[in-house]
Amino acid sequence: KYKLFYIFIVFLTSYTVLVWLFYTETRNYAIAQAEKQIVNILLTHRALHSYIEEIQKPTIYRLKDEGKLYREFFAPELLSSTFIARGVTNYLNQEFINASLPEIYFKLASKNPRNMLNQADDHEEHLLKLINKENLKEFKEVYSINGADYLDYAIPRSLTGQSCMRCHGDPEDA
């Protein structure tokens, strides 16, 4: 009689442990896959920023110097890596929606932005301070809202380049 009870307890305990292990491993795998996708997107944005800084802006500035574009020419669609990154993310999110995938929240947050769309909220401002203070290469955290898990992943953007200073160096030039 007791033998059957002990077998049942061992079975129930083993079952509970196995379910917990399966849940934990599955959740960890899902988070790792999400991290890989996010890193891919963020590194793509970094590469896009580098392309704009190293190829696109110098070409436009050369065209200005050659008189092929007027000196005051400025189009954020061509010269603002933040504007371009936000636009690319909007197109990417539309593709995610079309594929029935969840959208990503992407922001090049700043404590003192030129464009208020980039204004850091309290959480983002905390991340900026944390990344700068501790010289972090990445920040990641999983949190829940209304029972749904979200992955918060942040990496520092490359430093403002010399070509950025044409507009961002003096507020009067913007």
Side-chain angles (χ1 to χ4, degrees), residues 1 33 45 155:
K1 191 175 185 180
Q33 291 302 106
H45 276 286
I155 60 173

Side-chain angles (χ1 to χ4, degrees), residues 72-140:
E72 295 77 26
F73 174 80
F74 179 80
E77 303 86 353
L78 297 173
L79 290 167
S80 170
S81 58
T82 303
F83 185 95
I84 294 167
R86 186 175 28 262
V88 169
T89 301
N90 289 339
Y91 280 108
L92 181 61
N93 274 333
Q94 190 56 55
E95 294 298 327
F96 285 166
I97 290 167
N98 293 343
S100 300
L101 295 170
E103 293 179 66
I104 61 164
Y105 172 77
F106 175 84
K107 186 174 182 182
L108 290 165
S110 174
K111 184 178 177 182
N112 186 21
R114 295 287 174 125
N115 184 334
M116 293 314 291
L117 290 173
N118 302 319
Q119 180 67 50
D121 62 23
D122 291 340
H123 175 67
E124 292 161 346
E125 196 169 319
H126 170 74
L127 283 179
L128 289 169
K129 287 178 186 173
L130 187 66
I131 286 171
N132 288 329
K133 180 182 175 189
E134 298 185 20
N135 198 25
L136 296 178
K137 301 293 181 218
E138 69 177 359
F139 171 87
K140 56 187 170 182

